[in-house]
Amino acid sequence: MTASLEQLRRCHFGVDLGAARTRVYVKGAGLVVDQPSVAAVNTRTGALIAVGEFAEKMTGRTPDYIRVVRPVAGGTVVDIEMAQRMLRQLLGDRVRRTLRRKPVLRAAACTPHGADPLAQRATIETLVGLGARRVELVDTLIAAAVGCGLPVEQPEATMIMVCGAGATELAVLSLGSVVSAVRIPVGGETIDHAIVQHLRLRHELTLPSQSVRPLQLALSGNGLTPHGPTSTEIHGLDVATGLARSVQVDTAAVRDAIQTPLTAVVDGIGKVLRDCPPDLVADLADRGIMMVGGSALLPGFDQMLRHATGMPVHIAERPDVCAALGVGAMLDGRIEPISLDPVGD
């Protein structure tokens, strides 16, 4: 695993601050927070009105004096003060009182692979504002791989794909470290945008924001797979008249619309494999790719990757919470590192 594994075991809670959802794992209590990274603020008084799911429901439905904000974008904290206020409310008084009893409160936080120092500093300051005296940073790729049960500490290749809302991260792991990795600026929000643009250009229809994610209202069942329904009814706003209108949408055309951004993910897989030693690539031919993250559940995404790469593609049992559960496993000491101590001559 990593050199900081012993330090992680001394941490009391772990945070996975994502662009779409925030998850908090408390040592001994498990996953205590799994809510959207959204806050609603009264612009007149500065008061925090709502956070999480309730705040997300307000998106696009608020009067002019209420603003719905997302303090995290692309896995990076963009508004430290608002992120702190949001986390305080999500944790609740009971959990915060429990954490405050610790003499030296230690926290762990997931950060994207290759995050720049400013992004890391923003994450640290967010948790310091919650009372943490020390903050350990964990690579999201490592945490997600641990959370879905991959043997990352062994001398064998494992390939992880973290499909987030703002970006997709790909990596080959071995001996608890990242051998080769790439970050692709294509995520769930990119797919949503492609579908919105398709409906606007082809049908002159604007979808309400609540109908875009997580796409269930736009495509029923397995509509993005060739075996799904050929068409589905969409309710939206007519671009020309501004009135409500319903149209029948061809699911094959929607599938083609999202194919372009998803092609970048296939190119990223090729880049990661080219940068890997041949022995590790040989391991991956049988083991394949493990998909985690909320966008991994996009219907037909795994089938498309399987067809494009010829490699086995698997979706984790609980793909959306793998990173948080991985941090929790390291906090609880359930991961044993392989010994790499120097041997005597």
Side-chain angles (χ1 to χ4, degrees):
M1 284 298 300
T2 61
S4 61
L5 191 57
E6 287 300 323
Q7 295 169 325
L8 288 173
R9 289 179 178 175
R10 292 197 290 268
C11 292
H12 302 102
F13 71 103
V15 178
D16 177 19
L17 271 171
R21 299 183 74 86
T22 293
R23 298 173 178 93
V24 180
Y25 188 101
V26 175
K27 195 172 185 177
L31 196 65
V32 297
V33 173
D34 183 5
Q35 293 279 341
S37 305
V38 187
V41 185
N42 187 324
T43 57
R44 295 174 181 171
T45 63
L48 197 63
I49 298 174
V51 295
E53 291 180 354
F54 188 41
E56 189 175 50
K57 291 178 181 177
M58 294 182 178
T59 305
R61 294 183 167 93
T62 60
D64 57 0
Y65 65 91
I66 296 178
R67 186 165 58 99
V68 178
V69 297
R70 293 181 177 270
V72 185
T76 302
V77 178
V78 294
D79 187 337
I80 295 174
E81 182 186 355
M82 188 55 64
Q84 290 173 350
R85 296 175 68 186
M86 180 186 74
L87 275 171
R88 287 193 195 99
Q89 291 300 316
L90 290 176
L91 284 171
D93 293 337
R94 182 179 178 183
V95 175
R96 281 189 288 135
R97 278 198 301 268
T98 303
L99 293 176
R100 278 200 296 264
R101 295 193 187 106
K102 310 295 181 184
V104 179
L105 184 62
R106 298 172 181 261
C110 291
T111 56
H113 180 74
D116 60 75
L118 285 177
Q120 295 179 357
R121 187 66 192 171
T123 302
I124 292 172
E125 287 187 12
T126 299
L127 296 185
V128 168
L130 291 177
R133 299 285 295 276
R134 185 178 179 87
V135 180
E136 303 291 346
L137 299 181
V138 186
D139 194 319
T140 300
L141 293 167
I142 301 283
V146 170
C148 61
L150 292 178
V152 292
E153 72 279 4
Q154 298 300 319
E156 53 190 54
T158 54
M159 191 168 188
I160 188 83
M161 177 188 291
V162 180
C163 309
T168 298
E169 293 183 88
L170 278 159
V172 174
L173 311 175
S174 181
L175 288 172
S177 299
V178 176
V179 178
S180 174
V182 66
R183 180 180 173 86
I184 307 159
V186 173
E189 294 172 353
T190 311
I191 306 302
D192 296 343
H193 182 69
I195 293 178
V196 168
Q197 288 296 102
H198 168 76
L199 293 174
R200 186 179 184 89
L201 295 175
R202 183 70 65 88
H203 300 281
E204 297 184 346
L205 197 74
T206 300
L207 277 184
S209 58
Q210 296 295 319
S211 299
V212 179
R213 291 186 62 91
L215 305 178
Q216 275 87 352
L217 296 180
L219 296 162
S220 59
N222 56 350
L224 286 182
T225 65
H227 306 292
T230 57
S231 65
T232 185
E233 188 176 28
I234 303 292
H235 307 284
L237 198 69
D238 190 288
V239 174
T241 65
L243 301 176
R245 183 163 63 92
S246 300
V247 296
Q248 285 291 328
V249 176
D250 181 13
T251 54
V254 175
R255 190 162 62 246
D256 292 339
I258 70 171
Q259 201 74 21
T260 301
L262 291 182
T263 304
V265 178
V266 179
D267 295 339
I269 294 175
K271 183 180 185 304
V272 168
L273 294 178
R274 284 194 298 272
D275 294 340
C276 277
D279 290 343
L280 292 181
V281 177
D283 289 347
L284 295 173
D286 294 329
R287 184 168 290 122
I289 306 169
M290 179 65 75
M291 298 176 63
V292 302
S295 300
L297 299 173
L298 182 69
F301 192 10
D302 57 331
Q303 296 180 22
M304 190 211 79
L305 293 177
R306 201 174 293 121
H307 176 74
T309 63
M311 299 171 63
V313 178
H314 314 282
I315 300 177
E317 185 177 350
R318 298 179 65 189
D320 50 339
V321 295
C322 280
L325 294 180
V327 171
M330 290 185 271
L331 262 60
D332 293 339
R334 286 180 270 137
I335 305 299
E336 290 294 334
I338 190 170
S339 178
L340 294 176
D341 293 331
V343 295
D345 294 332

